[in-house]
């Protein structure tokens, strides 16, 4: 629910709405700590869960093992926990052992023919995100009756029910394989120096990336090469799928992030080595230790004692005193070591035998703390024991809380800080195993610690210390010869000092950083999933829509939009006062005048009262003969957009308050085109957005917007500049150049004309061309005013520029429409598409028509898709994409079908709710601990994740993390209603389809 304050002036009012709308995601975040109180708590407390799970081993979740594979060194996927992905479309069976044996043979170009019956299905890898449909088909049922072509085209293959999956645990990550590569290495043709050759470390970039991401080495090598060539993720996922083993966009993005991190480590290592070399402290051992580091944490651990400005470590001071040979002698030749010979009475630090022994001890402790084998052993000990994280109320917060209690007793003063402290009451004395703690709990604990409300520490069992000390003395750091008792005492003290002062703090930091990184990663993933579903809501086309921005004192703002989103009329009506009856007549006249039958109401202040007003009028048939219907849409970010420079440029003569109503209406007409104008952080998705890395969050959300815009495709002659800048390969400057060229020279006739745009080079054209469409119908409409001749003249008048590498040359002497420009087929595959058309005796005019589908079906009955691909000398994936492009109708849209919100019309406020009432609603936001559902009472209810069980979900949702996503229609039962804190507890009954 968005709370907005109306002001007297329109500008101030819009700015105020901007601030309140910007708080939507923060409202959910503030609920993050509050919702986990008594009514939201799991059935077992953390300590009870620990007792229950003590002694149990953690079962690793299999990572994309569709079927068991024969062992293959460094080439097969390894088990690793991973968040779920939605069901894939048109996927084939996993390779059999026989196929795996073929993979190891050098003939990598041989294509498998298994599973060819599903050639007609829309591949989900191409779309990069799930396509939901009410139909499903068995992609492998060759013997069964085949449905009609359109049904086959949109069918979704069900997940294998035999796969291992534990609900509420991270589902196994699956790199789906199509029938083409079947996991066979497909090598990428390199065009220059490989990136891995520039990594001057003691480890191989491809090998480390393969181990970290649990991917085959050849896939990582291809991805590294593709990223080095500046290919975008949408382009890679759609047009290079055979060389990345059909990974989806989320997986490719994770590889990209991991690659950037490894490159950062390498660059930082080189910088540190140069710095230490200038300071004269770099030696072979230190350089070796630095180049062995694979993470920034490891690098910081090795470099910390040598940082400029920091105090000399104890070990470095001892080495400067010349005690390093004595420490080495204690391990190598203890029988010849005499510490008395190292005593120098006039030098501080070695003036006594005790000081010499202490210096040797400190050097040995430092050596142990930096030894790779020692750190690996102590980590293995921790893995075999129960390491816990404990949070408690800090002394500062305790004083503030006591002070707040005193202030509460004074009627004049208002308590402030204690309110924030109480949000963390669940973590006043919280203990949990680090392997079982939830992501949202880590984020909540981190926030409490940053606010100095909580004190956090990691508890490692004492048994780890005793076992570690025994192993060091008797195995790893055991002297090579007999050592006297006094020397063994020094060695034992060094081991204990190393563990207590160096290794244990390192382990604690490592646990905290890894838990935080995993929690932030899952939170970003939740943002990504929510944003993708929000952007891919299917547009409502062909309707005149009235957008309503509800309000009390300053009225409801109206905007009537044409089917093409043009503003027909704007107004303000006052529905919630004595003038309501007169305003109803005004509404009826407006709707009759513009033949408007669809209302879109924003879910902000006065939403439910406005809904009740229209519901009453519709029930009385007040708008007869119009058949009026309405829906509620999320207006988060509309107020922010209304006062943005972009909105001012788009609607310069419109009041900011009325711009909000326009934005609300356009969100239903084309959600993707409207929501890209708003920063993803402001559209009410996810939680804890302010507690994580803003750079990684912005990068991930920006990548999702780019994917959605690219995979849906944009009509270059109709779309806005804002939408264009999110197409893969384009940016703000290139999008502006395209719009300027369009305004100056007329509509684009074909994709080739994009090469005439200033700033759009060959690489940019390659990346964006496949995602840009030229719709013939829109083109003819635009050219009816003579713009066609203008565009042709502009193209023909372009002359080659004599300057080398400068300017744009003529692309076509006489530009003509190309029917392939309205499809997903990339221009680099046009020649193959034309040869395929000649092979099946098809014509360009038949693209997307029934005749083309029949011709393709006939050709596929004669020959398999694999055989046709060999005939045309192309890959199976490229030919499949061509088939999809030729057979999909011109109006094909990958976005989901629009479903009108379904609310109980008799319930419009929280006062109408009672425990046990069954309602329907729509999921508004999903978090790491549950799903918020809009049930039509002005305040979202929470379904805690303990109530989202597999038995209540359709089969296709059981494989997703938390299973629900924004837009899902659900039936729920009210568990609790807290009027004072405006909290509603819900139980999921079922998902409506």
């Amino acid at each position: 629910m968005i709370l907005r304050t109306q002001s007297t002036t329109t500008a101030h009012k819009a700015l105020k709405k901007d601030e309140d709308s910007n708080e939507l995601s923060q409202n959910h975040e503030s609920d993050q700590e509050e919702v986990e109180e008594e009514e939201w708590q799991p059935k077992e407390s953390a300590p009870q869960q620990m007792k229950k799970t003590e002694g149990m081993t953690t079962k690793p979740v299999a990572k994309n093992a569709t079927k068991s594979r024969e062992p293959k060194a460094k080439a097969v996927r390894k088990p690793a926990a991973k968040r779920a992905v939605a069901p894939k479309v048109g996927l084939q069976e996993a390779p059999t052992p026989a196929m795996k044996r073929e993979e190891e043979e050098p003939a990598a170009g041989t294509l498998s023919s298994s599973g060819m019956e599903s050639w007609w299905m829309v591949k989900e890898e191409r779309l990069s995100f799930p396509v939901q449909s009410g139909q499903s088909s068995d992609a492998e049922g060759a013997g069964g009756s085949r449905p009609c072509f359109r049904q086959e085209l949109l069918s979704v293959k069900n997940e294998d029910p035999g796969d291992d999956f534990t609900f509420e645990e991270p589902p196994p990550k699956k790199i789906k394989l199509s029938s083409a590569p079947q996991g066979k290495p497909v090598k990428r043709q390199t065009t220059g120096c490989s990136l891995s050759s520039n990594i001057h470390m003691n480890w191989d970039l491809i090998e480390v990336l393969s181990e970290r991401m649990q991917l085959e080495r050849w896939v990582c090598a291809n991805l590294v090469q593709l990223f080095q060539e500046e290919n975008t993720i949408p382009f890679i996922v759609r047009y290079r799928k055979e060389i990345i083993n059909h990974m989806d966009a989320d997986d490719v993005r994770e590889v990209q992030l991991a690659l950037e991190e490894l490159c950062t480590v390498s660059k930082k290592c080189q910088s540190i080595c140069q710095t230490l070399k200038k300071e004269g402290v770099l030696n072979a051992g230190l350089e070796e230790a630095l180049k062995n580091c694979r993470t920034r944490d490891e690098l910081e651990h090795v470099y910390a004692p040598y940082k400029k400005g920091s105090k000399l470590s104890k070990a470095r001071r001892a080495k400067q005193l010349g005690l390093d040979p004595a420490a080495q002698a204690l391990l190598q030749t203890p029988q010849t070591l005499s510490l008395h010979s190292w005593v120098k009475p006039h030098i501080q630090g070695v003036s006594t035998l005790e000081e010499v022994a202490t210096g040797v001890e400190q050097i040995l402790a430092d050596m142990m703390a930096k030894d790779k084998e020692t750190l690996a052993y102590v980590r293995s000990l921790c893995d075999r024991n129960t390491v816990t994280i404990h949070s408690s109320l800090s002394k500062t917060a305790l004083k503030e809380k006591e002070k707040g209690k005193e202030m509460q007793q004074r009627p004049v003063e208002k308590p402030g800080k204690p309110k924030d402290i109480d949000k963390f009451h669940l973590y006043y004395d919280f203990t949990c195993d680090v392997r079982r703690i939830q992501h949202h709990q880590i984020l909540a604990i981190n926030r409490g610690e940053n606010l100095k409300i909580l004190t956090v520490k990691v508890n490692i069992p004492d048994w780890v210390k005793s076992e570690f000390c025994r192993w060091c003395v008797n195995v790893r750091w055991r002297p090579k010869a007999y050592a006297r008792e006094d020397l063994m005492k020094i060695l034992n003290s060094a081991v204990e000092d190393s563990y207590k002062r160096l290794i244990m703090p390192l382990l604690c930091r490592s646990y905290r950083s890894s838990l935080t990184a995993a929690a932030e990663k899952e939170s970003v993933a939740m943002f990504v999933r929510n944003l993708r579903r929000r952007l891919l809501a299917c547009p409502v086309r062909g309707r005149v829509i009235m957008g309503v921005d509800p309000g009390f004192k300053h009225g409801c703002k109206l905007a009537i939009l044409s089917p093409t989103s043009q503003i027909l009329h704007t107004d303000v009506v006052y529905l919630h006062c004595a003038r309501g009856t007169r305003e109803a007549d005004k509404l009826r006249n407006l709707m009759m005048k513009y033949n408007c039958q669809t209302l879109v109401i924003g879910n902000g202040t006065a939403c439910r009262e406005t809904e009740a007003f229209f519901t009453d009028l519709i029930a009385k048939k007040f708008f007869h003969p119009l058949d009026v219907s309405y829906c509620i849409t999320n207006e988060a970010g509309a107020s922010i957009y209304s006062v943005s420079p972009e909105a001012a440029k788009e609607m310069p003569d419109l009041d900011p308050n009325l711009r909000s109503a326009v934005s609300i209406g356009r969100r239903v007409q084309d959600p993707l085109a409207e929501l890209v104008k708003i920063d993803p952080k402001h559209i009410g998705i996810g939680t804890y957005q302010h507690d994580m890395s803003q750079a990684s969050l912005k990068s991930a959300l920006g990548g999702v917007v780019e994917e959605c815009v690219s995979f849906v495709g944009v009509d270059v002659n109709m779309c806005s500049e804002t939408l264009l800048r999110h197409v893969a390969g384009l940016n703000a400057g290139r999008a502006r150049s395209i719009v300027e060229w369009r305004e100056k020279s007329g509509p684009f006739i074909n994709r080739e004309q994009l090469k005439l745009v200033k700033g759009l080079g060959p690489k940019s054209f390659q990346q964006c061309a496949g995602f840009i469409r030229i719709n013939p119908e829109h083109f003819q409409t635009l050219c009816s005013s003579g713009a066609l001749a203008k565009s042709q003249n502009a193209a023909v008048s372009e002359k080659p520029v004599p300057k080398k590498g400068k300017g744009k040359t003529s692309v076509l002497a006489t530009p003509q429409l190309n029917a392939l420009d309205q499809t997903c087929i990339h221009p680099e595959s046009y020649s193959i598409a034309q040869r395929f058309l000649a092979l099946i005796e098809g014509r360009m005019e038949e693209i997307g028509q029934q005749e083309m589908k029949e011709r393709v079906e006939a050709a596929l009955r004669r020959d398999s898709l694999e055989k046709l691909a060999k005939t045309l000398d192309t890959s199976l994936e490229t030919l499949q994409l061509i088939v999809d492009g030729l057979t999909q109708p011109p109006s094909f849209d990958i976005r989901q079908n629009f479903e009108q919100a379904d609310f109980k019309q008799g319930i419009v406020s929280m006062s109408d709710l009672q425990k046990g009432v069954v309602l329907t609603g729509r999921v508004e936001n999903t978090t790491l601990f549950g799903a918020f559902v809009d049930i039509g009472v002005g305040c979202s209810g929470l379904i805690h994740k303990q109530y989202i069980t597999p038995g209540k979900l359709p089969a296709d949702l059981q494989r997703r993390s938390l299973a629900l996503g924004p837009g899902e229609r659900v039936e729920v039962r009210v568990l609790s209603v807290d009027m004072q804190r405006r909290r509603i507890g819900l139980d999921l009954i079922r998902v409506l389809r």
Side-chain angles (χ1 to χ4, degrees), residues 789-810:
K790 185 179 180 182
S791 182
Q792 290 176 332
N793 293 335
V796 174
S797 63
E798 293 286 341
K799 301 293 183 181
V801 181
K803 292 183 180 181
K804 186 177 293 186
K806 300 287 185 180
K808 298 286 183 180
T809 59
S810 177

Side-chain angles (χ1 to χ4, degrees), residues 158-425:
N158 294 328
E159 294 285 351
D160 183 2
D163 293 338
D164 291 337
F165 178 74
T166 303
F167 193 74
E168 290 187 350
E169 288 186 14
K173 176 178 177 179
K174 294 197 171 187
I175 299 300
K176 298 291 186 178
L177 307 177
S178 82
S179 57
Q182 287 290 10
K184 291 185 178 181
V186 182
K187 293 185 178 179
R188 169 72 174 160
Q189 295 294 331
T190 57
T191 57
C193 180
S194 175
L195 178 62
S196 58
S197 62
N198 298 326
I199 304 296
H200 305 291
M201 303 294 284
N202 290 343
W203 39 262
D204 179 71
L205 174 66
I206 305 300
E207 185 68 28
V208 173
L209 194 63
S210 175
E211 292 177 1
R212 183 170 296 184
M213 301 308 300
Q214 307 297 322
L215 290 172
E216 291 87 344
R217 182 184 173 90
W218 65 271
V219 176
C220 292
N222 289 341
L223 280 169
V224 169
Q225 184 65 29
L226 288 168
F227 288 134
Q228 187 180 14
E229 295 172 2
E230 299 181 352
N231 291 287
T232 62
I233 291 178
F235 177 81
I236 293 172
V237 171
R238 176 175 285 185
Y239 299 110
R240 297 293 184 265
K241 63 178 68 176
E242 68 275 6
I243 64 174
I244 63 170
N245 208 13
H246 291 233
M247 295 172 63
D248 61 27
D250 289 336
D251 295 325
V252 175
R253 186 183 300 105
E254 288 187 12
V255 175
Q256 185 183 42
L257 294 175
L259 176 62
E260 291 174 355
E261 183 180 352
L262 290 173
C263 292
T264 301
V265 170
S266 175
K267 291 179 181 178
K268 190 170 183 178
C269 178
Q270 295 178 34
S271 175
I272 290 174
C273 288
Q274 291 176 359
T275 301
L276 295 179
K277 189 174 182 180
K278 289 180 181 179
E279 295 175 358
V281 297
L282 183 67
N283 52 50
L286 179 57
E287 185 176 8
E288 183 79 8
L290 288 170
K291 290 189 175 183
N292 283 334
C293 297
R294 300 188 178 190
T295 65
R296 284 175 288 187
D297 290 340
E298 293 178 4
L299 202 60
E300 284 294 329
H301 176 65
V302 176
Y303 177 53
Y306 303 93
K307 279 187 177 180
K308 190 175 181 180
S310 62
K311 295 181 181 179
L312 286 177
S313 67
K314 294 181 179 181
R316 285 187 65 187
R317 287 197 296 268
K319 288 180 180 179
Q320 288 181 354
L321 293 171
L323 294 178
D324 192 36
Q328 296 291 342
L330 190 150
L331 298 174
Q332 303 295 331
T333 58
Q335 70 277 10
T336 63
L337 177 62
S338 175
L339 295 181
H340 291 281
S341 62
W342 296 89
V343 176
K344 300 176 182 178
H346 303 293
I347 300 178
Q348 185 179 1
V350 290
S351 59
T352 65
L353 183 63
E354 290 75 12
E355 289 182 346
V356 171
T358 301
V360 171
E361 175 187 317
Q362 292 166 351
I363 292 175
L364 290 173
D366 183 70
M367 292 170 58
M368 296 172 187
K370 293 178 180 178
D371 181 62
K372 186 176 181 180
E373 184 178 343
T374 302
L375 293 176
Y377 181 77
V378 73
R379 286 192 175 106
S380 68
L381 289 177
C382 292
D383 291 340
R384 296 199 299 266
N385 288 270
T386 302
V387 179
T388 61
I389 185 170
H390 176 77
S391 65
S392 58
L393 194 63
S394 66
K395 294 181 180 179
T396 304
L398 189 58
K399 292 179 181 179
E400 289 287 344
K401 192 172 183 181
E402 292 175 354
K403 183 180 178 181
K405 290 180 180 179
E406 294 177 1
M407 294 176 65
Q408 283 180 343
Q409 298 175 359
R410 304 174 187 174
V412 179
E413 300 180 9
K414 295 182 179 179
K417 191 70 175 177
K419 181 180 179 182
D420 294 331
I421 295 175
D422 290 340
K423 290 181 180 180
F424 296 89
H425 76 97

Side-chain angles (χ1 to χ4, degrees), residues 77 160 162 167 200 290 312 342 404 463 580 595 615 648 670 685 737 776 794 842 859 900 985 992:
R77 295 185 54 83
D160 183 2
F167 193 74
H200 305 291
L290 288 170
L312 286 177
W342 296 89
W463 183 88
N595 192 29
T615 299
D670 194 341
I685 54 174
S737 298
Q900 184 173 323
L992 301 175

Side-chain angles (χ1 to χ4, degrees), residues 80 225 353 388 467 560 612 645 841 956:
Q225 184 65 29
L353 183 63
T388 61
E467 179 63 22
I560 299 180
E841 300 180 354
D956 61 325

Side-chain angles (χ1 to χ4, degrees), residues 39-43 168 929 944-949:
E39 63 267 35
W40 315 120
Q41 287 185 14
K43 296 180 180 179
E168 290 187 350
F929 57 86
H944 195 277
K945 67 177 185 178
Q946 64 177 317
Y947 299 115
I948 305 175
T949 56

